[in-house]
Amino acid sequence: MNRSEKKDSTSIGCCFPVRLDRSMRRSFKSSKTSSSEKLINNSTDSPRRGGTGTPRKSGEKNGGGGGGLVACFGELLIDFVPTVSGVSLAEAPGFKKAPGGAPANVAVAVAKLGGKSAFIGKVGEDEFGYMLARILKENHVDISGMRYDQNARTALAFVTLRADGEREFMFYRHPSADMLLTEAELDTNLIQKASIFHFGSISLIHEPCRSTHLAAMEVAKQAGCVLSYDPNLRLALWPSADAAREGIMSIWDKADIIKISEEEITFLTEGDDCYDDNVVMKKLFTPNVKLLLVTEGADGCRYYTKEFHGKVKGVKVNAVDTTGAGDSFVGGVLNSLSSNLDIYKDEMKLRDAIFFANGCGAVTVTEKGAIPALPTKDAVLELLETSTS
């Protein structure tokens, strides 16, 4: 495949998909019901106070208090996006603020699909922090694991897609509140209620958050959670490329499910062919990994398990803004997984789940912004039905 070929920027397939055959269409039609199940928010406190969660009963098994709960750990910040497209940050005449942070986006994605989700992280005790907490709560995400720092501000990021197609980032984290979450502030009860514990790599960059991240993973592992990892490489935040590579790989073997992009494969393998299955299997599919997903933008998504591997092609849509497409995809996968934790063992069911997740990403890019564009289940099913009819 010639990766140097230019793609039509107005017809983007979101990180994924496949064409449904008749049996798969019947599967989606039979499941197309509007979800009446709403997330029961454990937090009755105001966003300014932050709850501590409800302790689990002694001897309660994982999932007993919140079966299907997806707990997302990491950063929550404000993205500032230029009001004019295709310009550098320096050239932008103005900026519009929007909620950001991949783990938080995933939590909202799951909740908007009708699933149960929670966010665990820290923001500043400032107006931006309160705004972010309010947005998560309005989207039915459990925020009882959120904490507020009186001495550090909520993180800010300025991001743009330049005319040359390159994304440009500028972060304000010196330090920001998300970097300062301590192990003592960790809501372990909330983690133990979850079926899936999802995280990225940005929370591994600085202490004390790194140690808190590792402690949270251990709590999740002991509770029997499925550990889901999206490295979400942001090289500008790491001290060096080598530090990023080492930090991202330091927890690789601990994850059950990993989602990466083709660019991240190239980075992590220091230049190996990201489309070579042998490279993926030998260097990235380590013994403890149960499912590895490789997103290829408009071309689709590859999947790898111990028993089989394959690819689900992309759904073509007219793209307006690709922000949040990957997080929407992850949310779609985890929402399906939360209903069937063994879905990766059945290739047909896995392909169905990936196709649904591809639809999540596809819907997302048809609107601006991340959280506002994250879809409902019915919106995804409508797109998929249309694309296969």
Side-chain angles (χ1 to χ4, degrees), residues 87 122 166 191 214 337 345:
V87 298
K122 197 172 190 181
E166 292 297 319
I191 297 172
L214 297 177
L337 183 70
K345 296 179 180 179

Side-chain angles (χ1 to χ4, degrees), residues 221-240:
K221 180 181 178 181
Q222 292 300 321
C225 298
V226 171
L227 271 60
S228 166
Y229 184 25
D230 178 2
N232 193 35
L233 176 65
R234 293 291 179 265
L235 194 54
L237 292 175
W238 291 87
S240 66

Side-chain angles (χ1 to χ4, degrees), residues 15-88:
C15 296
F16 341 79
V18 77
R19 292 184 178 178
L20 291 179
D21 60 25
R22 291 185 179 180
S23 65
M24 293 173 76
R25 276 202 287 269
R26 287 196 297 270
S27 173
F28 275 107
K29 285 182 178 179
S30 66
S31 67
K32 189 175 180 180
T33 57
S34 58
S35 175
S36 60
E37 183 177 80
K38 301 293 183 181
L39 172 67
I40 300 175
N41 192 331
N42 291 329
S43 172
T44 57
D45 295 331
S46 110
R48 296 184 183 231
R49 293 174 60 84
T52 57
T54 303
R56 293 170 61 219
K57 296 177 181 179
S58 176
E60 182 176 288
K61 298 294 184 181
N62 175 57
L69 177 67
V70 179
C72 301
F73 176 94
E75 69 278 4
L76 177 58
L77 61 148
I78 301 289
D79 282 335
F80 284 88
V81 183
T83 54
V84 176
S85 301
V87 298
S88 69

Side-chain angles (χ1 to χ4, degrees), residues 91-359:
E91 295 168 333
F95 296 88
K96 180 180 178 180
K97 67 180 185 295
N105 288 344
V106 171
V108 174
V110 171
K112 290 186 74 170
L113 290 169
K116 300 179 181 179
S117 67
F119 175 74
I120 300 170
K122 197 172 190 181
V123 292
E125 193 171 305
D126 52 38
E127 291 305 314
F128 282 149
Y130 304 147
M131 182 193 82
L132 291 169
R134 183 174 64 253
I135 289 172
L136 292 190
K137 195 168 185 179
E138 287 172 350
N139 282 281
H140 308 294
V141 175
D142 182 341
I143 60 171
S144 61
M146 283 187 66
R147 299 293 178 259
Y148 304 82
D149 198 304
Q150 295 180 341
N151 302 311
R153 296 297 189 188
T154 300
L156 308 179
F158 290 80
V159 56
T160 188
L161 184 65
R162 300 190 315 230
D164 61 5
E166 292 297 319
R167 296 181 75 185
E168 184 178 1
F169 294 92
M170 184 181 296
F171 297 95
Y172 286 79
R173 304 171 78 236
H174 302 293
S176 54
D178 61 295
M179 300 161 61
L180 301 176
L181 182 67
T182 66
E183 190 173 343
E185 295 172 305
L186 197 59
D187 190 340
T188 56
N189 289 321
L190 182 59
I191 297 172
Q192 290 167 341
K193 291 177 182 179
S195 295
I196 300 170
F197 184 67
H198 176 72
F199 47 88
S201 69
I202 291 175
S203 46
L204 294 170
I205 300 174
H206 297 284
E207 293 289 359
C209 190
R210 174 180 167 80
S211 293
T212 306
H213 181 148
L214 297 177
M217 287 177 58
E218 185 60 29
V219 171
K221 180 181 178 181
Q222 292 300 321
C225 298
V226 171
L227 271 60
S228 166
Y229 184 25
D230 178 2
N232 193 35
L233 176 65
R234 293 291 179 265
L235 194 54
L237 292 175
W238 291 87
S240 66
D242 287 342
R245 217 172 272 112
E246 181 180 353
I248 289 171
M249 296 304 297
S250 68
I251 61 170
W252 200 266
D253 252 351
K254 299 181 184 299
D256 298 299
I257 297 173
I258 299 174
K259 174 262 177 188
I260 52 174
S261 68
E262 47 194 347
E263 293 84 0
E264 287 165 345
I265 292 178
T266 300
F267 174 77
L268 293 173
T269 62
E270 298 188 70
D272 284 355
D273 183 358
C274 60
Y275 304 102
D276 187 338
D277 288 340
N278 290 323
V279 169
V280 175
M281 294 301 293
K282 290 180 179 179
K283 293 196 173 183
L284 297 175
F285 196 88
T286 54
N288 290 334
V289 176
K290 296 180 175 65
L291 172 64
L292 181 68
L293 298 168
V294 180
T295 55
E296 297 183 356
D299 292 328
C301 175
R302 283 177 280 155
Y303 57 88
Y304 301 83
T305 73
K306 290 180 173 65
E307 303 299 328
F308 50 77
H309 68 272
K311 181 173 177 176
V312 180
K313 294 183 179 180
V315 173
K316 302 297 182 181
V317 295
N318 292 322
V320 174
D321 181 4
T322 59
T323 303
D327 300 330
S328 185
F329 171 79
V330 173
V333 170
L334 296 186
N335 188 58
S336 296
L337 183 70
S338 68
S339 299
N340 179 3
L341 296 178
D342 289 330
I343 201 169
Y344 63 91
K345 296 179 180 179
D346 184 318
E347 187 169 12
M348 183 58 70
K349 290 181 179 179
L350 177 62
R351 289 181 65 87
D352 281 355
I354 293 173
F355 184 66
F356 178 80
N358 293 342

